[in-house]
Amino acid sequence: MPADLSLNQNVINMDYAVRGPLYHKASELRKQGRTVIPCNIGNPQALGQTSVSFYRQVLSLLEYPPHINRERTLKGQIRPDIDSQEWIPDYILDFSEDFLAKMETGMGAYTDSKGPLFIREAVSRFIDKRDGVTPGNGVPSIPDHVFLTDGASEGIKCILELLIADENDGVMIPIPTYPLYSATIARLGGKQINYYPDEESGWTLTKDSLEESLSKARRDNVNVKAIVVINPANPTGAILDRKSILEIIEFAGKNGLAIFSDEVYQDNLYGSEFLSFAKALGDDKNIPLFSFHSASKGFYGECGHRGGYFEVRNPPGSQGSNPGFIDILFKQASVNLCSNTTGQALIYLLSSPPPEGSEPYDQFNREKQGILADLYEKAGMIKESFKEMDGVECFGKVGAMYLFPRFNTLPAGKTDFDYCMSLLEETGLTTVNGSGFGQKEGTHHLRIAFLPPKDTLEDVLPRWIEFHNNYVRG
Amino acid sequence: MPADLSLNQNVINMDYAVRGPLYHKASELRKQGRTVIPCNIGNPQALGQTSVSFYRQVLSLLEYPPHINRERTLKGQIRPDIDSQEWIPDYILDFSEDFLAKMETGMGAYTDSKGPLFIREAVSRFIDKRDGVTPGNGVPSIPDHVFLTDGASEGIKCILELLIADENDGVMIPIPTYPLYSATIARLGGKQINYYPDEESGWTLTKDSLEESLSKARRDNVNVKAIVVINPANPTGAILDRKSILEIIEFAGKNGLAIFSDEVYQDNLYGSEFLSFAKALGDDKNIPLFSFHSASKGFYGECGHRGGYFEVRNPPGSQGSNPGFIDILFKQASVNLCSNTTGQALIYLLSSPPPEGSEPYDQFNREKQGILADLYEKAGMIKESFKEMDGVECFGKVGAMYLFPRFNTLPAGKTDFDYCMSLLEETGLTTVNGSGFGQKEGTHHLRIAFLPPKDTLEDVLPRWIEFHNNYVRG
């Protein structure tokens, strides 16, 4: 008798536009030999962004420690009349040796399921430094409340899974949203509650609009547990202003919600100031806060290595209702054994940049500033070209790695998905349609990652402008 | 109004003994300065097993490609009167260069969500070679049905999640079992259906015992969808005989079940022959088979790098009931973006050992044989010491990294958990109690990983024997 192998409907139902039909079409075109420019995803090194030398030199030594001492020996052995090779600075040799001494069991062993304590301590120091916490001033990060994860995604899924206890549980997410949230909530069988940042005022937020979404959900008997904020935002690239952040905190406090603060783009602000939710929350002891960061974005862009962490403040257990919240998170992490050690090492590196005056500092800083300046310049080039496209507007400060222009006039019957598909077919430029992220009804957008090399942009932008104006003029 | 932040009861309910109270007690003792021998987990490099040089030399170059050419240059520059450094063989420089050429976007970019095609092709070649598939003989592996994952665990969770569609869906698992299975089924809210390999005949299986478990589950209205097999087994370390494998396949076919074949210990057979389920299944077109492997065990032992893959044969869609099964798996993988690239590279390395006659072959083979011989010898040392312990028996061929001795006489009122805790406190030896894996009612066991260095075993085994005989004699 054949068993019924029907599949989990929640998994079948979930959507994931970033690697949906446009991604598949792009793969197909590439197989046909066409040039495709993958701006559908924030994957900088796939578009030629170089890795940070300091990070990679350390990773290289961690994988093969005999080369730490060999490097020291070789430095003394090369004949002076031979061109100096680019030796690895002593600072980096010492740094790698020190890392391995603290790691104890090297890169090939499972670590503590939360990640090694010394890395979580470095993360806490990084957070405190970023937020200006000093002894007696501000609330210090607690290393035992930090978990290292395979990218930020894993941590987000883990906490959503813990909070969505039944089909009536809901989580508020911004629209447009990063589809990890909508997909995971769907997979867990929970309720997605939309809230709408105001596009024309630069994707800012008001308590009123949040209250409106919440009230509607509660009228529908949804038990709303948390609100997700992505800052800088994905897909819009917008940077949340201080006032919006404080309104969200007040709103969460008043309504007993936990906050998910997705801050993986915290280094992609291009001159704007970053205010973390941890800092804005201050000494509030009531609002559970889950903050996420990763090694995938910023100037480091090490997506493939899947390094991430999350930090918990005011774990729900501390209010007495859910004893042992951190212990339950630990148990969840244990089933996966541990996150990958290369990603862990990158999180340590991200938390421990070379100090001013150290041997690798100048190169590190030059690379960092160079990558960020380049990204900002490329965003500017794309924004400029919107001016030449009929009926295209783009709101908000430039942050993250994305622009999210609005199309005020599409031909009758055409959707932004149709637009993106035609754009891909005609120019090779791969973007994601706004509807893939959710958007206010009746609006049309696309998301473009501002990552391709400048000469690629110089080539494709005029072709996009031409495509666009032909498309909308019909 | 505070929201109700009650947590997911399925997550709270799940157990994970391998990192449970004994693990925490061991951490505590270590903090107190006590020497602890972590045999509670298959984590070889944490116990001094060295990494395979070939693998690590390649990983090191992949992280920092400028050193490929620097190595070539330096080889020609060292003065002949200087001791030759241990240069990286040209074969490895070429291998790394070739890998990066195929990888195209380096180690820092997200890859295809399934993993890069050239790695999946290497995996398929590896499977075919292992199973003796040649043109016209046997069923070749399909690269599009191979998915790279963060360790084998991720793939197992992904497929269980897809198959467990509601609370009436059940999966058969062997008792004792690796707790990832029981924990994940509990988390997904499905039904765990136990079946019992026969300990005294070396943990073999009969169709009758399988039918008995299935009939009971069906009487309880459970929709049994799949059967999990771990071979070589965790926690027992036993190697399944050919007859048992064929009986499982016949049983699955007759009852329309899918098979999960967890084969992560396929290189830990110590002279016994490995028969994969893929090979045993042959050209059967009806039984869906999910096979799992990883870079964590074998002689490579790269647990921390979290490299794994799974291969699907006869995806349920191919019988017409679930169209697009592979597409749905791809969507699931996409939400996670991709597995980590270092783990992916290790899977490529595992699939592409240096051929006989190549420059690194001798060292590679010496390391491989040395690690495996050492493991087998250590298993033998521990098994020998059981003979001196009152009422201890250990069944089955030696496989995987574990022994699972049975305690025929424990003092009244004592459990195997009590035993393991006392053993830890008195000797520092950390094991896991049999009840942490499930076991036949009324029996008592522990699992020990045979990984510590020989001199550690020489020190601790006499102390264990003494502890044991004192403990059981009361």
Side-chain angles (χ1 to χ4, degrees), chain B residues 85-105:
Chain B
Q85 299 295 323
E86 291 203 354
W87 297 114
I88 306 292
D90 284 343
Y91 177 92
I92 293 179
L93 301 177
D94 295 344
F95 186 96
S96 305
E97 205 160 51
D98 176 64
F99 181 95
L100 288 168
K102 290 173 176 152
M103 192 80 172
E104 290 179 5
T105 51

Side-chain angles (χ1 to χ4, degrees), chain B residues 34 109 206 216 222-223 360 428 442:
Chain B
R34 289 274 304 277
T206 60
K216 187 181 167 306
V222 177
N223 176 29

Side-chain angles (χ1 to χ4, degrees), chain B residues 279-334:
Chain B
K279 183 172 185 177
L281 192 65
D283 56 7
D284 179 288
K285 289 274 170 290
N286 292 308
I287 305 176
L289 172 67
F290 310 107
S291 301
F292 304 89
H293 193 18
S294 91
S296 301
K297 311 298 177 182
F299 56 94
Y300 15 95
E302 292 283 0
C303 305
H305 280 312
R306 318 302 290 118
Y309 76 78
F310 65 83
E311 188 214 21
V312 183
R313 301 209 167 197
N314 305 326
S318 57
Q319 292 95 332
S321 59
N322 291 310
F325 188 86
I326 297 290
D327 292 341
I328 296 170
L329 281 176
F330 177 78
K331 185 174 68 169
Q332 264 182 308
S334 295

Side-chain angles (χ1 to χ4, degrees), chain A residues 1-9 11-16 19 23-24 41-43 45-46 53 56-57 59-65 67 70-71 73-74 77-79 82-83 85-88 105 107-113 150 153-154 157 161-165 169 178 180 183-184 187 218 223-225 254-258 288 296-297 301-306 316 321-322 325 328 330-332 334-342, chain B residues 1-9 11-16 19 23-24 41-43 45-46 53 56-57 59-65 67 70-71 73-74 77-79 82-83 85-88 105 107-113 150 153-154 157 161-165 169 178 180 183-184 187 218 223-226 254-258 288 296-297 301-306 316 322 325 328 330-332 334-342:
Chain A
M1 187 188 79
D4 167 16
L5 291 186
S6 58
L7 305 181
N8 187 335
Q9 202 58 42
V11 176
I12 293 173
N13 288 346
M14 75 181 181
D15 279 324
Y16 198 72
R19 295 215 165 176
Y23 173 80
H24 289 289
I41 188 166
N43 194 10
Q45 295 192 23
S53 304
R56 291 301 195 88
Q57 289 173 344
L59 290 184
S60 176
L61 294 167
L62 298 184
E63 289 299 349
Y64 195 60
H67 274 192
R70 196 189 75 156
E71 192 77 8
T73 311
L74 281 174
Q77 287 189 351
I78 297 297
R79 284 185 302 195
I82 287 172
D83 267 0
Q85 298 296 321
E86 290 202 354
W87 298 113
I88 305 291
T105 50
M107 300 296 282
Y110 294 128
T111 67
D112 183 274
S113 298
D150 290 319
S153 308
E154 191 201 355
K157 291 194 298 179
E161 179 176 61
L162 191 48
L163 282 185
I164 296 182
D169 286 346
Y178 179 56
L180 168 67
T184 306
R187 180 176 63 79
R218 286 188 168 164
N223 175 29
V224 182
K225 289 179 151 178
K254 181 182 155 211
N255 293 292
L257 307 184
S296 301
K297 310 298 176 179
E302 292 282 1
C303 304
H305 278 124
R306 318 301 289 120
S321 59
N322 291 310
F325 188 87
I328 296 169
F330 177 79
K331 186 174 68 172
Q332 264 181 308
S334 295
V335 176
N336 239 0
L337 297 161
C338 67
S339 61
N340 83 86
T341 50
T342 311
Chain B
M1 186 187 81
D4 168 17
L5 291 185
S6 58
L7 305 181
N8 186 336
Q9 201 60 40
V11 177
I12 293 174
N13 288 347
M14 75 180 182
D15 280 324
Y16 199 74
R19 296 216 164 173
Y23 173 80
H24 288 290
I41 188 165
N43 194 9
Q45 294 192 23
S53 305
R56 291 300 196 87
Q57 289 171 346
L59 290 185
S60 176
L61 293 168
L62 298 184
E63 289 299 350
Y64 195 61
H67 275 191
R70 196 189 76 157
E71 192 78 8
T73 311
L74 281 175
Q77 288 191 349
I78 297 299
R79 285 186 301 197
I82 285 173
D83 267 1
Q85 299 295 323
E86 291 203 354
W87 297 114
I88 306 292
T105 51
M107 301 296 281
Y110 294 128
T111 67
D112 184 274
S113 297
D150 289 318
S153 308
E154 192 201 354
K157 291 194 298 179
E161 179 175 62
L162 192 47
L163 281 185
I164 296 182
D169 286 345
Y178 179 56
L180 168 67
T184 305
R187 180 175 65 78
R218 287 188 168 165
N223 176 29
V224 181
K225 289 179 149 174
K254 181 180 155 214
N255 293 292
L257 307 184
S296 301
K297 311 298 177 182
E302 292 283 0
C303 305
H305 280 312
R306 318 302 290 118
N322 291 310
F325 188 86
I328 296 170
F330 177 78
K331 185 174 68 169
Q332 264 182 308
S334 295
V335 177
N336 239 1
L337 296 162
C338 68
S339 61
N340 84 86
T341 50
T342 311

